[in-house]
Amino acid sequence: MARAIVGVLAVFFSVLAAPPEASAEPSDILGAWSFETDRYRDGQCVMSGTMRLWSGVSGKQSGYQCELTALEVCTQWGQSVVRQTCDITRVDDQLTVRSQIAEVLQRKGAFSEGPFNYAPDNFALTVKSHSLMFGSLLSAVNAPVTFRRETAGIS
């Protein structure tokens, strides 16, 4: 029994003495992601879409570029699909995504009538793992958002 207690204590203290987990590798977020917000505008709207992310903002060690396509569906107003280009700044596991509208691909319902005042979709994200990021949509509205990607191989 004394050996068992010593063994348990050795494991316990080795866990305490282990160095903190290093921040994620720069390449861990590269690739294709899908995202979805929580409902917003009193539950009337939700946004989902895809984002492709690659390294390559010149002069910035923590910089990335991306392209995202956002589908916004609002029960009262209709739906829109907007393609955007974006720059990403990373500090440790915190990402700031700044987007610019490249092209409006679709407008349906009330969104198709009159001027279309779509604000770029910016995000503040925390990298949780190779396949999960979460944070906030920061645009005309703010809403919680989750980014996910499949980790399965491609055949």
Side-chain angles (χ1 to χ4, degrees):
M1 180 158 160
R3 281 187 176 173
I5 292 173
V6 169
V8 168
L9 288 175
V11 169
F12 176 76
F13 285 113
S14 69
V15 168
L16 287 179
E21 194 172 314
S23 90
E25 293 293 318
S27 63
D28 70 337
I29 61 172
L30 302 180
W33 294 82
S34 61
F35 67 90
E36 185 169 86
T37 66
D38 288 357
R39 297 193 76 70
Y40 53 89
R41 295 192 195 266
D42 295 325
Q44 295 292 310
C45 302
V46 66
M47 180 183 293
S48 60
T50 59
M51 179 174 72
R52 187 175 58 89
L53 194 153
W54 62 93
S55 62
V57 176
S58 64
K60 291 185 180 180
Q61 182 179 4
S62 61
Y64 302 85
Q65 291 181 317
C66 60
E67 180 174 273
L68 67 91
T69 302
L71 165 65
E72 183 178 43
V73 178
C74 297
T75 54
Q76 186 176 4
W77 300 289
Q79 72 180 36
S80 63
V81 179
V82 178
R83 186 177 64 82
Q84 301 168 63
T85 59
C86 38
D87 294 321
I88 299 176
T89 302
R90 181 176 186 167
V91 176
D92 296 322
D93 288 335
Q94 304 300 308
L95 304 181
T96 302
V97 181
R98 306 294 289 169
S99 300
Q100 304 84 35
I101 295 171
E103 179 181 16
V104 176
L105 300 172
Q106 181 184 80
R107 293 170 52 183
K108 288 186 175 179
F111 283 144
S112 64
E113 301 166 7
F116 188 58
N117 297 321
Y118 193 97
D121 298 313
N122 301 314
F123 299 92
L125 302 171
T126 300
V127 178
K128 294 307 286 180
S129 71
H130 180 72
S131 59
L132 178 66
M133 298 187 286
F134 70 89
S136 297
L137 164 68
L138 305 171
S139 187
V141 297
N142 298 338
V145 65
T146 302
F147 281 73
R148 288 187 166 83
R149 70 172 160 191
E150 294 295 323
T151 55
I154 298 172
S155 57

